[in-house]
Structure formats: C-alpha cells, structure tokens
Amino acid sequence: MKKILLTLLIGLGFNATFAQWGPPGGGGGMGRPGGGENGRPSGNTQKPATLDLEANVPKGNSKISGNVVDDALTTAVEFANIALIDITTKKPIDGTMADEKGFFSMKRVAAGTYNVQVSFIGFENKIIEKVVVEKGKDVELGVIKLKQSAKQLDELVVSGQAAMIEEKVDRLVYNAEKDLSAKGGDASDILKNVPMLSVDLEGNVSLRGSENIRVLINNKPSTIVASSIADALKMIPADIIKSVEVITSPSAKYDAEGSAGIINIITKKSSLQGLNLNIDSGVGLRGSNLGLNGNFRKGKLGITLGGFGRAFYNKSAGETTQLLKSTGVSTEQNQEGNHFGMFGRYNIGLDYELAKNQSLSGTLAFGLRSFDRDQILNSSSFLNGSLLNSSIRDISSIDRSNSMDANVDYIRTFKPGQEWSVSTQFSQNKLINNFDSDLLNISNEILSRQKNINDNLNTEITVQSDYVSPIGKKQQIEFGAKGVFRTVESEFEYLLANPTGSFSSDARNPSGYLNYSQNVMAAYASYLFSTKKKFNFKLGARYEYTEISADDSRGNIEIPAYSNLVPSINVSKTIKASTYKLGYNRRIQRPGLQQLNPNVNLVNPLNISYGNASLNPELTDNVEFSLSKSIKKSYLTISLFARQSNNSITRVSFASDSIPGAIITTFENIGKEQTLGTNVFGNVILSSNWTLNGGIDVYYRYLEGFQTGLTGISEKVSNDGIILSGRLMTNLKLKKGWAMQAGGGMRGNNINLQGTQGGMGMYSLGIRKDFGKKASFGMAAENFFGGMVMRNSTDTPVISQKSVNYMYNSNIKATFSYKIGNMRFVAEKKKVKNDDVKSGGEEN
C-alpha cells in the first residue's frame, strides 16, 4: 500500500505540472471560481448588493488586484464587493468579490482610467479614483482599508455581520476573539459558548450529543489531541484562538474521521509586513496565564515565534453510591481533591516565497503539560445494612506529557483558484500517567502503599498531496492522496511497598505493554458546480484503506485490515435572503489512545477502568437539512439532522469477578446508535453596537447493544431519551473603547447505553476597555454565585451506580494585552491541513 500511495503522490505531481499548459479556465469575475480554501464554495455567499454591469464592455489583458482589510489592520473583510466604475458615465462596468482572506483579482481589464469602489455591509464605501490601466500591465492596489460604519444598518443582515457567530456555506464559525468572558481561560472555556457543542466538567466535548468527533488545530491534527481532547483543550489559551469552526457535513477532502463531524480551532496568525510583538496575560482566582508572540516579515521571508503558559488551580468533591445486585453488596464513597496544572506551548514558524507563484513554509511546535491531583477517598461497604469494611486512601496522581509537531508545506499556484500542494508532518507525544496510593487507618497511619507507572508514546507521520482547479466559471475539481502512519506504545507496571519501604512488582497486577501500529492510505476526488438556477453542488468520494498490527504481553492481537468508501454530497441554494442546504456523508471513528490503552486504572479500587485494544472502527451515516434566513436585522438558522452509527464505540460497565463490590468500565463496540434532532440559532442586531444571539438544541438519542445479565449470559439492552441544550449571549459596544458581554447556557442530561450523564449550567459576565489599538484591559467572572454540580447514573441488571460531582469553578479574573510594532497587511499564505484520527476525547 505504501507503494500505491507513492505512485499516487507522483501522479499528482505530474498532473499539477502539466495543468499549467492546459486551456485557461474561467478567468474573470469572481476571484476564485467555484470555491474558496478548504473546499468552501464561495459562489453561494450572499452579496449585499448586485452590480448592474454595462453590456458589451471591451475586454483587455490587464489585471487589477488588492487586499481589503478593516481600518484596524487586524481582520480581512471577507467577500467584499469590488466594482470597476466608468469615469465618464459613473456606472459599474465590471466587478468581482474578495475571497475569505480579503484578496481580489479582476482580470481581462481593458486599458483606460477608472474608479474602483470597494463596499461591504457594516463598512463605509471607499472609492479609489483615477486608477490608470495600461495595456498588458497589471495594477496592484495594495491594502485597501475600510472603516466600520457608525450608522445603524438598514440592509439585510448577512452571515458576515454576525458579531460573534457566522453561518458559512459548509460550517458554523464562532469568532472567539470577540468573546470577552473567555479571556484568560483555555479552549474549553471558548467551546462552552459555541452552538451545537457542549463541554462537561472534565473538559470532554460533544457535538450534537456525540463525543465521537475530530478536533483539528489550524486544519491539522496533533498528537496532543489524539491522546485526549480534554487535555489538549487545556493546553490552548483562549487568548490565542481566533475562531472555532464546526463542520457537520465535511466534504471528501477532509479525512473521514469523526462520526459526528469536525471541530477546527483556528489560532491567531500574523499576515503583516514588519515587526510586531503581542503580550497577553491574565490572573484569576482559578487560573493565570502569560503569552508572548512575535512576528517578523520582510519581503519574501516571514518568521513567527511565540510561547505561552497557563496555570490553574481548583478543588473538587464527589459522592458515589453503588450496588452489586447479584451479591447485595453496596458501597458508599466520598472524595475531596485539589488540582493543580501547568501547560505550555512554544512554536517557531518560517515561510518563504520561492517565486511569485510558489511558497514553502514550516512550523515547529513544542508542548508541555503537567496535571497533578491530590485526593482523599473514603470508602465503606455494606451487606444487608451491616458494615463489611471501610478504608481511607490518600492518592496522588501525576499526568504529564511533552509533545512535538513539525510540518513542511509546499504550495504552487498556477492561476487564481488552481494550485498544487505537498505537505508533510511529524507529530509525537510522550505521556506519563502515574499514581501513588497510600492506604490509611483512622489515625492516618500508612497500612500499605501502591504505585502505578504508565508510560506512553504516540507517534504520527503524514504525507499528502492535493490539487484543485476551476473549470470555467461555475465548476471546480479537486483530488488528492494521503498517507498517515501511526504507532502507539504503552508500558505499565504496578508496585507494592515492602516492609523495608522499597517497592517491588505486584504479583496480583502483572506488568504489561501494548504495541499498536495503524497505517491509513487514502485518495479522494470532489467536484463542485453551479447551475443556471443557482443551485450549488459539491459531490465527492474518499477511499481509505486501514491496516493494523498490534501485540501485547499476551501475544498478537488479530485485527484485520479494512477499507471504506466514504461518499459526501452537499447541495445549497440561495433564494433572496434565504439559503437552503442539504448534506449527506459517511464518517469513520477509529479508536483513540485512551480507548486502546490496556493499563488498568486502580486509582479507585472500587471503580476500575481500562482500554480495549481489540476495538473496531465505528461507521456513521449523517443526513442534514438547514435553512438560514435574514429577517430585517435578524438572522435565523434552523437545521434538522439524523445520524446512525454501527459498531458505536461506547463506555460499558460491569461487575468485577475478582474484587468484591468493584465495578469495571471499559470500551466496547455496541450494536448501534441513532440520533434525530434539530438546532435553532438566531442573531439579532439590536443596534449598530448591540447584538443578541442564542440557540436551542433538541435531539432524540437511541442506543442498542448487549450487556451481561444476572445469569452471566449476554442479553440485549437499549436506552433512549431526549436531550435539551440552550445558550444566550449579548454583546454591547460602548463609547470610549468600552465593551461588555454577558451570557449563559445549560445542557440537559445526556443518554448513555446504561444510564445518564448529568446536565449542568453556566453563566459569565465580562467587560473590556481598549486603549487605542495597542492595549486592552478586561475583567470577567464565571459562575460567580457558586460552582457546578453534575449527577450521573448507571443501571443494569447487575449493577446500580449513582454519583454526584461538585466543581468549585467560581472565578473572577483580570486580563491585559499589549501590542508593540508597526505592520502592514499582506495576503496570508495557505497552510497544510491534515484531519484524520479519533482522539479518544470521551475519556479523561
């Protein structure tokens, strides 16, 4: 298969080389015909106005291009309208639209003198007068700054005008840099406010009720995410996040990983000429952070260098009661713990323009994580109301890792919309998950001591090549090939203290290991076209072949290779102020590191957990229909979706055969999971400075599988229920640089195969003062009337368990940021992306 992949990559290289000699496609008009970066068809984006162009306009061989940005030089104005105005008649004779980076190119312009008008809703129109075009010579207008309009808008509200949330052709975008309440926090604080997403107390993320998702950072995976989504989110400060994209119907270009969809976290990047330095800091009752990022660009060379660190500290408490129905033994447990964590990530990036149409870029990033928890666990077991035994455990857990991501990307552009790229990436994460457990008597004297040592190494190598090209004005084709080569190594050992105080191997829990290798070879093709009736179609198919080899201390694990053909269909149509979208796709969910890890977690000896190295992939079919409509100053999106998964990867719990009163939790491929639901989201511009947005998610979930009954025989079991979530947020821009934000949300009980996971609520208030365009100071408070409580339950024919967890996460924090430097805007380079494996985000 590696030879097949190499052949495909070489073939793509020849195709890209010869493509420049083919007939020219499309040319003028719309900048990037048929689509934008990441396969997004820009032709379906609403315009604020329609140009009435004069007919029979003479064409030439010159080009006018430029970049449109806001006057703060921080944000590109996406999809701005550009009109070429006849200097005599004052009427538009040609026009185009800027792309998602604010870049536009108007081709086939005849020699002459023109005015160029640039406009977009929410900004004041700008006219560049007397632009002289000479025959055969291109005109570069450079950076065009638009000033935000101070007038209240009377036009229809379009997606680009949402202050916090944008609805694009194939994704929802949450503009995190405008979220005041999350400043000084981490990525999980941001994701709590994103429609369709929910985050539990441990930081685990679910999309429309499913934790089987794919999380990317800047369109690329990272081994920190592959190990644990919850841990990865804690390593990303909210201050460096520009936006969060929720992609529920990915095209064939995206890897098939992620049953429910893809979450893409976009961090802030420099696309400026010159030198700048950004300082972001924050201090609070539950966490503090410090970040320093610098950017330098001169001519063809760009350099980025940055680092940030974050520390958090918190307390938790919980109560658990459980009953083994087969024996009648019941257990009561309560715990109190202190948490302390430190996270850091440091990066250096280089990009260089090899030629006018070629660029080379590379990034090297390092990450460090340290999460320590001290916990006192009290346990008591009863039989028929009589005390059997009780214990006190003093537990210290250490969860640490260091990661490294390196990538090199080459991009060659042949003409607007036509490019070929080759991308490579190496990613590695070393993890340590250890704990020390001391058994105490009522006088706090140590009776026995136990240790668990678990070292893990997660490595990933990726190589891919992609080619995209327009065909005329209303068509686009893209295809590519990719190889991902992963290895997982895990070694674990249990130790017991001798009478002398030294430690030796625990004979009851022998040491072991897991070697797991997974190679995925893929190829895809997609075709986008628009009809005369303004229907947009994007059809694609992706083929993935997966081969796995695995062995542990018991011997080889037989996991056969498998192949999947993954189709995707996306259809959209805009009628006046309404956009209709219909999508279908098939997704794959491969097991992640934590789901595979065979290390037995005995931190709580009555609640034991371990992974399952024999897990098979989960296959899911998704169908989605949505309507987005502008109503005066309001914007409304309603979506209906249905999802069915076979071989669903799910947690299951059962009674231990060897430890009386203990419950074991692991992962299994259950029979199937079905979800049917709706999302409603609305955004209202109350005034030019005041916005209100919110949404409701309602869905029905049904799970079906098998579990062990009282007789010891496996029996069919099912569970179903309705899950309700909602959120509401308002943003107010005041005079003299002041801004305020307030919001809240709730998530109802989630349905599992064997019970329910408790819901929770949250609320926040933030205020910020900008001192010019260089500095800002803010204050924010979260859950300031108390912490959060989560109640979980599990009920089977064999076991019954109920737990209550308390998180004391009331927080007040202050944030400060400062920018140094004077830079000017240039077009941003496209980055490589890689979006393929399951991250094991449903555990922590």
Side-chain angles (χ1 to χ4, degrees):
M1 291 305 302
K2 294 181 181 178
K3 293 181 179 179
I4 296 175
L5 174 67
L6 182 59
T7 303
L8 286 169
L9 293 176
I10 294 174
L12 280 172
F14 282 121
N15 287 335
T17 302
F18 289 121
Q20 60 183 317
W21 301 109
M30 301 302 292
R32 304 182 90 179
E37 188 182 274
N38 298 339
R40 284 179 270 189
S42 60
N44 194 36
T45 305
Q46 296 181 16
K47 298 182 183 180
T50 301
L51 295 174
D52 183 15
L53 304 180
E54 290 187 345
N56 301 319
V57 176
K59 297 294 182 181
N61 57 355
S62 298
K63 178 177 70 175
I64 298 176
S65 60
N67 292 280
V68 186
V69 302
D70 67 3
D71 62 345
L73 288 176
T74 57
T75 306
V77 179
E78 299 182 351
F79 311 124
N81 281 332
I82 293 87
L84 190 66
I85 309 295
D86 187 286
I87 201 167
T88 303
T89 65
K90 308 298 182 183
K91 293 183 178 181
I93 59 175
D94 200 354
T96 187
M97 180 185 291
D99 63 16
E100 296 168 354
K101 296 181 176 61
F103 175 77
F104 70 88
S105 177
M106 194 183 308
K107 302 177 67 176
R108 300 176 62 196
V109 179
T113 303
Y114 308 93
N115 291 341
V116 176
Q117 177 178 295
V118 183
S119 61
F120 193 71
I121 290 179
F123 294 87
E124 296 180 1
N125 291 352
K126 182 161 187 176
I127 297 179
I128 305 171
E129 297 181 343
K130 297 181 180 180
V131 176
V132 179
V133 178
E134 300 180 17
K135 185 177 181 179
K137 294 184 178 181
D138 296 339
V139 177
E140 171 59 57
L141 297 179
V143 177
I144 302 172
K145 305 175 187 177
L146 294 189
K147 185 177 181 180
Q148 292 193 2
S149 175
K151 298 179 181 179
Q152 183 168 326
L153 301 177
D154 293 325
E155 296 92 345
L156 292 175
V157 179
V158 296
S159 61
Q161 286 308 108
M164 189 71 70
I165 299 169
E166 301 178 54
E167 180 77 22
K168 295 197 175 182
V169 174
D170 64 342
R171 68 197 65 201
L172 179 144
V173 179
Y174 182 83
N175 291 312
E177 59 187 346
K178 300 179 181 179
D179 191 337
L180 304 184
S181 65
K183 293 291 182 181
D186 56 39
S188 62
D189 298 311
I190 293 286
L191 266 57
K192 290 174 184 176
N193 297 325
V194 179
M196 295 185 286
L197 303 184
S198 60
V199 183
D200 66 17
L201 294 179
E202 299 296 328
N204 299 312
V205 184
S206 60
L207 168 58
R208 288 174 169 172
S210 174
E211 293 181 343
N212 292 341
I213 55 179
R214 183 68 175 136
V215 175
L216 308 177
I217 302 174
N218 294 325
N219 288 310
K220 293 176 290 206
S222 172
T223 50
I224 63 168
V225 177
S227 303
S228 169
I229 290 178
D231 288 345
L233 296 180
K234 294 183 180 75
M235 294 180 65
I236 307 173
D239 304 275
I240 72 165
I241 298 176
K242 180 178 184 292
S243 62
V244 176
E245 299 178 342
V246 182
I247 309 170
T248 55
S249 185
S251 68
K253 187 172 184 177
Y254 285 96
D255 297 322
E257 191 69 32
S259 295
I262 295 171
I263 300 172
N264 188 22
I265 298 174
I266 305 296
T267 60
K268 298 175 183 177
K269 307 183 191 72
S270 171
S271 53
L272 308 174
Q273 285 274 16
L275 173 67
N276 81 334
L277 188 66
N278 296 337
I279 302 172
D280 291 292
S281 62
V283 60
L285 298 179
R286 300 298 181 192
S288 300
N289 66 283
L290 176 63
L292 186 65
N293 290 276
N295 302 276
F296 173 78
R297 177 175 290 277
K298 185 175 182 180
K300 297 181 179 182
L301 177 65
I303 302 174
T304 62
L305 182 66
F308 62 81
R310 181 170 186 265
F312 75 90
Y313 18 88
N314 210 342
K315 296 192 302 181
S316 66
E319 302 167 358
T320 302
T321 60
Q322 58 192 46
L323 170 67
L324 267 62
K325 299 177 182 179
S326 57
T327 63
V329 175
S330 62
T331 301
E332 296 179 0
Q333 291 186 318
N334 62 77
Q335 62 88 13
E336 292 183 355
N338 294 304
H339 310 256
F340 179 76
M342 296 186 67
F343 305 92
R345 192 158 176 84
Y346 317 94
N347 66 276
I348 181 172
L350 300 171
D351 65 85
Y352 187 76
E353 293 183 13
L354 299 173
K356 185 177 181 180
N357 62 340
Q358 298 181 68
S359 65
L360 185 68
S361 62
T363 303
L364 183 63
F366 298 93
L368 299 172
R369 176 175 60 91
S370 177
F371 180 43
D372 298 339
R373 176 166 52 187
D374 294 324
Q375 184 180 17
I376 297 295
L377 178 65
N378 295 281
S379 304
S380 298
S381 297
F382 303 87
L383 179 62
N384 299 325
S386 300
L387 180 66
L388 291 179
N389 57 67
S390 62
S391 64
I392 303 173
R393 289 184 180 271
D394 184 358
I395 304 168
S396 296
S397 301
I398 297 174
D399 185 1
R400 296 174 183 172
S401 70
N402 62 80
S403 62
M404 188 268 285
D405 297 310
N407 65 279
V408 177
D409 313 318
Y410 168 80
I411 300 173
R412 177 163 185 173
T413 302
F414 301 100
K415 61 183 180 182
Q418 182 185 24
E419 63 183 27
W420 170 56
S421 64
V422 177
S423 310
T424 60
Q425 178 169 296
F426 175 81
S427 188
Q428 181 175 277
N429 194 16
K430 296 180 179 180
L431 302 98
I432 297 175
N433 294 288
N434 300 342
F435 77 82
D436 294 336
S437 177
D438 295 340
L439 183 63
L440 310 177
N441 60 20
I442 58 175
S443 301
N444 287 329
E445 296 173 335
I446 298 176
L447 300 178
S448 64
R449 306 185 69 186
Q450 184 185 40
K451 282 187 177 183
N452 175 219
I453 299 174
N454 183 203
D455 296 332
N456 301 277
L457 178 63
N458 200 7
T459 303
E460 183 175 290
I461 299 173
T462 302
V463 58
Q464 71 180 84
S465 181
D466 301 286
Y467 177 74
V468 59
S469 177
I471 304 175
K473 294 183 179 181
K474 296 184 177 181
Q475 301 177 78
Q476 176 182 282
I477 188 171
E478 56 184 340
F479 52 89
K482 183 176 186 177
V484 185
F485 311 98
R486 302 185 179 96
T487 58
V488 174
E489 300 175 11
S490 178
E491 297 182 354
F492 55 91
E493 183 179 13
Y494 272 91
L495 304 173
L496 289 177
N498 297 320
T500 60
S502 61
F503 285 87
S504 59
S505 296
D506 183 356
R508 297 173 302 174
N509 298 289
S511 60
Y513 68 89
L514 170 68
N515 293 322
Y516 190 94
S517 175
Q518 179 190 88
N519 298 328
V520 181
M521 277 68 75
Y524 76 92
S526 68
Y527 173 59
L528 182 147
F529 66 95
S530 301
T531 67
K532 293 182 179 179
K533 294 185 177 181
K534 298 183 179 180
F535 279 96
N536 292 299
F537 294 85
K538 189 161 190 179
L539 314 176
R542 186 179 186 91
Y543 174 80
E544 294 190 350
Y545 176 82
T546 306
E547 57 182 13
I548 299 172
S549 61
D551 65 272
D552 60 16
S553 50
R554 297 167 296 181
N556 289 330
I557 303 173
E558 295 296 333
I559 304 176
Y562 54 89
S563 60
N564 301 96
L565 182 63
V566 183
S568 65
I569 302 172
N570 288 285
V571 184
S572 65
K573 179 176 175 62
T574 298
I575 304 175
K576 294 183 179 179
S578 300
T579 299
Y580 301 85
K581 294 189 290 186
L582 177 65
Y584 163 78
N585 63 79
R586 177 171 291 173
R587 309 292 294 166
I588 303 171
Q589 192 67 58
R590 299 181 180 91
L593 172 60
Q594 296 299 323
Q595 296 169 325
L596 297 169
N597 192 349
N599 179 55
V600 180
N601 188 335
L602 290 172
V603 169
N604 183 346
L606 295 180
N607 282 282
I608 303 168
S609 63
Y610 53 82
N612 179 3
S614 299
L615 288 172
N616 291 315
E618 168 185 318
L619 298 176
T620 301
D621 291 287
N622 297 281
V623 178
E624 178 179 1
F625 172 77
S626 69
L627 164 64
S628 302
K629 186 174 181 62
S630 297
I631 309 170
K632 293 184 178 180
K633 298 183 181 70
S634 300
Y635 184 74
L636 180 68
T637 297
I638 302 174
S639 62
L640 302 173
F641 68 93
R643 179 175 69 235
Q644 172 160 323
S645 300
N646 296 319
N647 273 350
S648 181
I649 300 174
T650 304
R651 287 177 180 268
V652 293
S653 298
F654 52 90
S656 171
D657 294 331
S658 57
I659 304 177
I663 293 177
I664 295 176
T665 300
T666 186
F667 296 93
E668 297 285 353
N669 291 110
I670 67 168
K672 65 180 179 181
E673 175 184 342
Q674 297 174 329
T675 305
L676 177 66
T678 181
N679 307 113
V680 180
F681 167 75
N683 185 80
V684 180
I685 298 181
L686 301 173
S687 74
S688 59
N689 295 320
W690 190 8
T691 62
L692 177 69
N693 62 70
I696 298 176
D697 307 328
V698 183
Y699 43 91
Y700 169 79
R701 190 180 191 191
Y702 173 83
L703 299 100
E704 181 181 289
F706 291 87
Q707 65 183 12
T708 304
L710 278 172
T711 61
I713 299 175
S714 181
E715 57 186 37
K716 189 175 181 179
V717 63
S718 64
N719 194 17
D720 66 334
I722 295 176
I723 298 99
L724 175 65
S725 300
R727 64 196 60 81
L728 185 66
M729 182 178 295
T730 184
N731 292 271
L732 180 61
K733 186 177 181 180
L734 303 172
K735 296 180 179 179
K736 297 182 179 180
W738 287 95
M740 292 183 63
Q741 176 185 300
M746 57 79 63
R747 189 195 74 180
N749 292 342
N750 197 15
I751 305 300
N752 299 322
L753 177 65
Q754 297 175 315
T756 61
Q757 182 182 24
M760 61 182 182
M762 53 197 170
Y763 50 89
S764 62
L765 175 65
I767 186 169
R768 185 184 68 197
K769 165 67 174 174
D770 291 330
F771 300 91
K773 297 177 182 179
K774 294 289 187 180
S776 67
F777 176 80
M779 295 287 295
E782 304 164 296
N783 301 317
F784 37 85
F785 291 121
M788 291 192 294
V789 180
M790 178 176 286
R791 305 177 188 275
N792 302 324
S793 67
T794 300
D795 191 17
T796 78
V798 178
I799 61 175
S800 175
Q801 184 184 65
K802 294 182 179 180
S803 64
V804 181
N805 295 311
Y806 305 93
M807 183 65 72
Y808 304 108
N809 62 344
S810 299
N811 191 23
I812 298 176
K813 56 191 175 185
T815 61
F816 175 77
S817 65
Y818 188 75
K819 299 179 181 179
I820 302 172
N822 183 21
M823 307 186 74
R824 61 184 180 86
F825 185 90
V826 296
E828 184 180 351
K829 296 296 180 184
K830 176 185 174 183
K831 292 291 184 180
V832 55
K833 71 177 179 180
N834 180 4
D835 40 65
D836 153 0
V837 102
K838 155 112 188 188
S839 54
E842 58 182 58
E843 66 282 342
N844 188 10

